[in-house]
């Protein structure tokens, strides 16, 4: 049965005219649907020629390119498990992921081949390929020798399609295992809920998506790519987000997806006005809270109401504001700023108190979810997986929120100690661990502070050991040498002591309050 392979479902939605453009890069390169089909076949044949054991992981740390997307699709097609890695990760981070996931194949950029291959071979990986963002690299050279015909490998809905590492509030990162069934069910739900259309776009060919997000997280990899492919819609492909370029290309597009920072940056552009967006049908935001100011300013400037939705690596999309009045969802017609809308069809969502009881309407508690999109568990962490699910099978998101009388879900905070900065997750515990190991450091606390561009950024507050002298710049420089750049605290303070409660626990809420205006104008 090949029909449970997610690739087969995406492929089945390719339009009849395979010569039409599927992806156009911002530099003007065009890839037809035929090109995508053939390129994924060649790469899938290459992967299969390696004779990998079933369920083999393919770990990928490469710059964004259409070929990188082809590699993802080829992994699905060949029945491998795709493991995307943020390009900002440095060697200690990569060493952990590769050591933990034990991928059979690692793909990295040519520039990083030296250090990445060393880590990979040490961890027992047999095959390391390179893939650059200029259509070069050993992966493409090798794939070129393979046939452009390929039958997708049979997969069941419960078979793994991808592992996405998400950092933990305690301990190391956990690999969220997502199945073909998880991803396909979510893609089909969103196609319907967001009203994707195959006709009626600017060129009469239906929706056109501007893809400007990185492709190593749920948002850019699954929500955006699946959304376009399963509707047979063209993508305008941007390797990096540039607000001017996105606005310039809106006249050829209908759908845009972004984290709030992208909307904030576009609002700073004078070229953003009603004329620039006249072809656009839908602006979607998620991955971090969208400030009501951004929501309202966007409405005023463009006449469009941003549709905010909520999801996570472990679950793909969970809730969404409505696209339009739909007779099936009679009470759900309005996109309400400050809310993340309604549980998507098929998703059960409940809000529970610390005692495990359902909270009354409008009251705050922990958000728990269940549905065909909810992941299979954490890679090789059965105890951790069991901890995160209730006995009746709901996943504890770690987000804190409420549901109002009309059913709108609002997220008010997180029970997990997590900072979301420009849509990337930063776990204070990880950064504190690195700081606490530095000579002369007694202890530290990393907190999230409001930031006009990134929404929230990390700030480190550090205590020196008696007699030690610490320089904030040296602490930051040390972190920069070891960690992905987006995790580096934007400011660091060395102070005499941390506020504590009677139990001796550091009161981060007091620190957050103390530093809350650090980045305000
Ligand atoms: C970059 N920098 C950041 C940062 N991004 N700092 C904090 N938070 C971030 N998110 C810093 C770098 O460290 C660097 O600092 C400087 O900014 C310039 O780096 P850059 O790479 O040139 O930045 P830029 O291209 O401007 O990137 C900003 C951005 C990017 C907003 C475009 O962060 C981005 O693409 N974010 C989207 C993340 C995303 O897709 N999330 C989805 C997760 S899925 P220095 O000091 O080194 O110069 C998920 C589930 C769901 O959450 O619901 O969707
Ligand atoms: P990740 O682990 O990167 O998948 O991040 C998932 C987390 O992002 C969720 O648990 C939420 O805390 C947060 N998130 C995603 N979408 C939204 C949103 N629309 N509003 C607020 N938080 C969000």
């Amino acid at each position: 049965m090949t029909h449970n392979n997610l690739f087969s479902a995406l492929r089945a939605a390719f339009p009849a005219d395979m010569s039409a453009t599927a992806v156009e890069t911002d530099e003007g390169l065009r890839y037809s649907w035929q090109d995508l089909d053939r390129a994924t076949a060649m790469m899938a044949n290459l992967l299969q020629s390696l004779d990998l054991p079933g369920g083999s992981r393919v770990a990928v740390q490469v710059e964004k390119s259409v070929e990188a997307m082809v590699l993802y699709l080829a992994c699905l097609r060949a029945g491998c498990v795709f493991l995307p890695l943020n390009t900002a990760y440095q060697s200690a981070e990569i060493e952990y992921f590769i050591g933990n996931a034990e991928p059979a194949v690692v793909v990295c950029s040519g520039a990083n081949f030296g250090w990445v291959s060393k880590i990979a071979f040490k961890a027992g990986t047999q095959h390391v390929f390179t893939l650059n963002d200029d259509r070069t690299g050993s992966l493409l050279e090798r794939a070129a020798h393979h046939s452009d015909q390929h039958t997708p490998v049979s997969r069941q809905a419960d078979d793994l399609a991808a592992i996405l590492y998400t950092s933990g509030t305690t301990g190391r990162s956990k690999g969220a295992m997502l199945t073909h069934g998880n991803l396909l069910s979510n893609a089909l739900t969103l196609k319907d809920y967001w009203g994707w259309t195959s006709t009626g776009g600017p060129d009469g060919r239906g929706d056109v998506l501007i893809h400007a997000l990185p492709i190593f997280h749920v948002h850019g990899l699954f929500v955006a790519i699946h959304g376009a492919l399963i509707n047979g819609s063209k993508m305008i492909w941007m390797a990096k987000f540039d607000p001017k370029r996105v606005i310039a290309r809106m006249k050829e597009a209908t759908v845009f997806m972004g984290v709030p920072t992208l909307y904030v940056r576009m609002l700073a552009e004078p070229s953003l006005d009603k004329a620039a967006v006249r072809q656009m049908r839908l602006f979607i935001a998620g991955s971090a809270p969208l400030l009501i100011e951004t929501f309202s300013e966007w409405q005023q400037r463009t006449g469009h109401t941003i549709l905010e939705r909520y999801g996570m690596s472990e679950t793909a999309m969970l809730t969404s504001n409505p696209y339009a009045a739909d007779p099936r969802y009679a009470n759900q017609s309005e996109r309400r700023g400050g809310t993340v809308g309604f549980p998507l069809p098929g998703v059960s969502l409940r809000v529970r108190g610390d005692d495990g009881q359902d909270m009354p309407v409008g009251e705050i508690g922990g958000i728990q979810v269940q549905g065909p999109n909810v992941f299979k568990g954490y890679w090789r962490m059965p105890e951790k997986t069991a901890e995160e699910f209730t006995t009746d099978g709901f996943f504890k998101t770690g987000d804190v929120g409420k549901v109002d009388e009309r059913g709108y879900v609002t997220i008010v905070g997180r029970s997990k100690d997590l900072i979301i900065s420009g849509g990337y997750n930063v776990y204070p515990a990880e950064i504190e661990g690195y700081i606490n190991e530095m000579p002369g450091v007694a202890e530290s606390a990393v907190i999230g502070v409001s930031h006009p561009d990134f929404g929230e950024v990390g700030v480190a507050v550090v205590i020196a050991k008696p007699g030690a002298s610490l320089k904030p710049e040296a602490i930051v420089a040390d972190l920069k040498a070891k960690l992905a750049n987006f995790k580096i605290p934007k400011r660091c303070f060395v102070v005499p002591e941390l506020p504590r409660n009677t139990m001796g626990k550091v009161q981060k809420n007091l620190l957050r309050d103390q530093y809350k205006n650090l980045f305000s104008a």
Side-chain angles (χ1 to χ4, degrees):
M1 288 200 303
T2 54
H3 62 272
N4 280 324
N5 186 317
L6 169 62
F7 176 81
S8 301
L10 299 173
R11 171 68 184 79
F14 286 12
D17 178 7
M18 291 284 282
S19 67
T21 303
V23 187
E24 182 184 329
T25 68
D26 199 33
E27 294 76 38
L29 277 177
R30 282 164 190 271
Y31 297 73
S32 67
W33 294 95
Q34 182 72 44
D35 292 334
L36 286 192
D37 189 40
R38 293 180 54 214
T40 54
M42 290 159 89
M43 229 181 258
N45 278 321
L46 164 61
L47 288 170
Q48 279 192 266
S49 75
L50 304 176
D51 249 339
L52 307 174
S56 287
R57 279 79 58 209
V58 178
V60 178
Q61 190 197 31
V62 298
E63 294 299 334
K64 183 175 175 182
S65 68
V66 177
E67 288 68 28
M69 174 180 72
V70 165
L71 171 58
Y72 163 57
L73 297 172
C75 283
L76 296 177
R77 197 168 177 159
C80 296
V81 180
F82 189 69
L83 196 171
L85 294 166
N86 194 316
T87 45
Y89 290 147
Q90 301 205 46
S91 59
E93 291 154 314
I94 294 294
E95 196 167 352
Y96 171 74
F97 296 123
I98 291 184
N100 188 256
E102 297 182 345
V105 179
V106 168
V107 184
C108 63
S109 65
N112 293 343
F113 180 79
W115 64 269
V116 175
S117 63
K118 207 162 139 197
I119 291 171
F121 291 135
K122 205 170 129 209
T125 298
Q126 302 272 327
H127 310 278
V128 182
F129 295 105
T130 58
L131 176 63
N132 303 312
D133 57 3
D134 60 356
R135 289 173 292 140
T136 62
S138 61
L139 185 77
L140 296 175
E141 285 161 21
R142 290 281 301 275
H145 297 288
H146 289 267
S147 161
D148 62 3
Q149 303 294 310
H150 176 270
T151 305
V153 167
S154 167
R155 290 286 94 173
Q156 300 305 309
D158 197 40
D159 286 328
L160 290 196
I163 297 180
L164 264 60
Y165 274 86
T166 92
S167 298
T169 39
T170 53
R172 304 305 299 261
S173 283
K174 303 160 290 183
M177 301 189 287
L178 291 151
T179 65
H180 284 253
N182 292 149
L183 300 176
L184 179 56
S185 69
N186 211 234
L188 290 169
T189 300
L190 296 177
K191 172 181 164 73
D192 185 48
Y193 203 75
W194 289 344
W196 285 88
T197 162
S198 314
T199 56
D203 55 4
R205 288 217 187 100
D207 276 317
V208 175
L209 172 77
I210 299 184
H211 193 306
L213 285 164
I215 57 168
F216 37 68
H217 287 304
V218 164
H219 201 159
L221 183 65
F222 301 147
V223 191
I225 291 177
H226 295 168
L229 294 184
I230 206 148
N231 187 58
S233 291
K234 174 175 146 180
M235 283 186 262
I236 296 176
W237 188 263
M238 302 195 165
K240 230 176 147 0
F241 170 72
D242 173 345
K244 288 189 178 57
R245 290 302 307 152
V246 172
I247 295 166
R249 302 226 46 184
M250 282 180 186
K251 58 184 181 303
E252 304 154 62
T254 63
V255 182
F256 176 79
M257 295 183 193
V259 301
T261 299
L262 307 197
Y263 287 96
V264 170
R265 291 188 181 182
M266 286 192 283
L267 280 167
E269 292 297 327
S271 60
L272 181 77
D273 57 19
K274 291 198 170 77
V277 303
R278 65 182 175 277
Q279 296 287 0
M280 293 294 292
R281 176 175 77 79
L282 184 56
F283 290 97
I284 301 170
S287 307
L290 180 73
L291 293 183
I292 194 78
E293 292 81 6
T294 312
F295 175 87
S296 304
E297 204 184 332
W298 192 269
Q299 222 165 19
Q300 276 168 13
R301 279 275 286 285
T302 68
H304 278 270
T305 306
I306 297 175
L307 178 156
E308 186 173 3
R309 91 309 177 274
Y310 155 60
M312 26 186 338
S313 302
E314 288 92 335
T315 63
M317 296 304 99
L318 290 164
T319 74
S320 172
N321 269 280
Y323 168 59
D326 180 327
R328 286 171 301 171
Y329 317 112
N331 63 338
Q332 308 182 1
S333 55
E334 182 200 354
R335 297 179 203 160
R336 299 184 74 183
T339 83
V340 292
F342 305 96
L344 287 165
V347 174
S348 303
L349 181 146
R350 68 190 186 193
V351 176
R352 290 243 155 145
D354 290 339
D355 56 2
Q357 296 300 307
D358 279 325
M359 297 305 286
V361 166
E363 303 243 338
I364 291 166
I367 297 178
Q368 301 184 353
V369 294
Q370 193 175 48
N373 50 312
V374 174
F375 74 137
K376 198 170 166 162
Y378 294 111
W379 171 252
R380 290 181 181 164
M381 288 187 183
E383 294 87 12
K384 192 78 205 153
T385 304
E387 267 172 40
E388 304 295 331
F389 280 87
T390 61
T391 44
D392 62 345
F394 275 71
F395 173 62
K396 302 177 207 164
T397 62
D399 292 307
V400 172
K402 58 184 180 180
V403 183
D404 73 10
E405 63 291 342
R406 291 174 63 191
Y408 284 91
V409 179
T410 301
I411 296 172
V412 300
R414 304 168 201 127
S415 58
K416 48 197 175 192
D417 189 12
L418 157 70
I419 299 166
I420 303 186
S421 184
Y424 287 141
N425 290 5
V426 180
Y427 281 85
E430 182 186 13
I431 319 301
E432 289 160 5
Y434 276 92
I435 298 177
N436 294 348
E437 280 183 7
M438 293 178 194
V441 170
E443 63 173 334
S444 62
V446 172
I447 50 164
V449 171
S450 295
H451 189 273
D453 183 31
F454 293 120
E456 202 180 12
V457 293
V459 168
V461 187
V462 184
I463 313 291
K465 280 186 179 148
S469 138
L470 292 174
K471 292 214 159 36
E473 318 80 69
I475 294 172
V476 169
D478 195 343
L479 289 174
K480 274 192 177 173
K482 294 174 181 146
L483 288 169
N485 59 7
F486 63 89
K487 295 183 188 171
I488 308 302
K490 297 284 184 232
R491 294 287 297 275
C492 177
F493 297 94
V494 177
V495 301
E497 61 181 357
L498 295 174
R500 291 179 187 283
N501 65 14
T502 48
M503 310 288 288
K505 194 169 178 304
V506 175
Q507 289 176 297
K508 286 198 169 179
N509 55 330
L510 295 186
L511 286 175
R512 279 191 282 269
D513 202 46
Q514 185 182 345
Y515 292 104
K516 70 179 180 215
N517 294 324
L518 202 53
F519 301 99
S520 54

